Amino acid sequence: MTDTPHDNAHYMRRIRSFVLREGRMTPAQQRAFDTLWSRFGVDYRGAPHDFSASFGRVAPLVMEIGFGNGEALAWASEHDATRDFIGVEVHGPGVGRLMNALAQRDATNVRLYKHDAVEVLEHEIALDTLAEVRIWFPDPWHKARHNKRRLIQPEFVALLASRMAPGGLLHLATDWQAYAEHMLAVMESAPDWRNDIGPGQFAEKPAWRIETHFERRGLKLGHGVWDLLYRRV
């Protein structure tokens, strides 16, 4: 029997792809939640969200899952003003930092969730609505006993496909070769996705993915970087 998106998401909720280590928020980050959440935040309600109402327009929707400190998302929203951006991150300090950065330039095309991405996708994102999803440098869970926690799994990419508009782009990136090979194997076997470069091929780094602090740290450690681009068929 084929799994439904609901079944897939139920599976993913049982095995979390993240450990919530909040860390200590700075006073500025806490003030962002106190004063800016109503402007940039989306409260998880468990029902499809009307993003055209939130943004005040109808535009292609780009989601970044696990945006970390938000530097790539802030840059993208500023340099791609014709599209609207949805960021999803569970760690509060990064969300607070990004809200402050967005407020400094009076951004209008970004909304943020502080919530589990699987639950956001399952309940808050309507079918066939996303133009692009970006998952850059997710936790590689490199120990063999933890591989099951990796976000990129068949069940998850099937859920993603159900929320993506036909022809929509999924952009993955990692600095762990073993995870890159895992991602490639999962995506090449996924019936709803087609490699935008060619079967079994990694992509050159696209211009829209800026080099972030996290990536620079990996490069200093001698890690390579692998990009994967897939289209929803």
Side-chain angles (χ1 to χ4, degrees):
M1 182 172 66
T2 301
D3 286 340
T4 65
H6 176 81
D7 295 330
N8 293 335
H10 176 71
Y11 171 82
M12 289 300 299
R13 284 199 303 274
R14 286 191 287 112
I15 302 177
R16 296 286 188 181
S17 65
F18 60 88
V19 174
L20 188 57
R21 300 186 184 96
E22 278 287 357
R24 184 175 179 179
M25 282 197 285
T26 66
Q29 290 164 353
Q30 184 58 59
R31 283 196 301 273
F33 276 95
D34 295 339
T35 63
L36 298 175
W37 182 256
S38 61
R39 179 176 173 186
F40 297 113
V42 180
D43 293 317
Y44 176 83
R45 301 184 186 281
H49 188 80
D50 184 354
F51 289 100
S52 61
S54 293
F55 290 113
R57 65 175 183 176
V58 176
L61 294 174
V62 180
M63 173 180 281
E64 183 175 346
I65 293 174
F67 57 75
N69 65 18
E71 59 184 312
L73 182 52
W75 187 93
S77 67
E78 183 174 6
H79 291 82
D80 191 358
T82 63
R83 301 202 290 175
D84 291 329
F85 291 81
I86 306 163
V88 186
E89 176 59 65
V90 295
H91 296 282
V95 178
R97 182 185 185 279
L98 177 55
M99 285 194 289
N100 283 325
L102 296 173
Q104 285 179 1
R105 65 173 184 81
D106 198 24
T108 61
N109 64 335
V110 184
R111 296 295 183 273
L112 306 175
Y113 282 95
K114 184 182 179 296
H115 200 79
D116 177 6
V118 173
E119 294 183 355
V120 170
L121 284 164
E122 183 185 12
H123 297 296
E124 298 265 331
I125 307 299
L127 298 173
D128 303 324
T129 58
L130 298 174
E132 184 177 343
V133 172
R134 298 171 175 179
I135 307 175
W136 296 344
F137 306 101
D139 194 325
W141 293 104
H142 59 279
K143 294 182 180 179
R145 69 179 184 272
H146 292 155
N147 285 176
K148 64 185 177 182
R149 291 184 175 272
R150 288 173 171 171
L151 182 60
I152 306 305
Q153 304 286 1
E155 298 83 6
F156 179 71
V157 299
L159 174 62
L160 269 182
S162 70
R163 271 51 179 176
M164 189 79 73
L169 181 68
L170 173 60
H171 182 184
L172 308 175
T174 182
D175 64 335
W176 284 82
Q177 183 174 356
Y179 199 8
E181 293 168 352
H182 169 85
M183 288 177 170
L184 187 66
V186 169
M187 294 305 302
E188 290 293 303
S189 298
D192 297 319
W193 296 99
R194 172 182 55 79
N195 193 314
D196 205 38
I197 306 303
Q201 299 296 309
F202 292 104
E204 295 293 327
K205 177 183 176 180
W208 63 80
R209 184 175 69 72
I210 64 167
E211 186 179 279
T212 63
H213 169 75
F214 184 89
E215 181 178 356
R216 288 191 292 274
R217 185 177 66 182
L219 292 171
K220 287 181 179 179
L221 293 172
H223 296 184
V225 177
W226 292 265
D227 287 84
L228 301 90
L229 300 176
Y230 282 83
R231 292 282 177 186
R232 170 74 165 88
V233 297

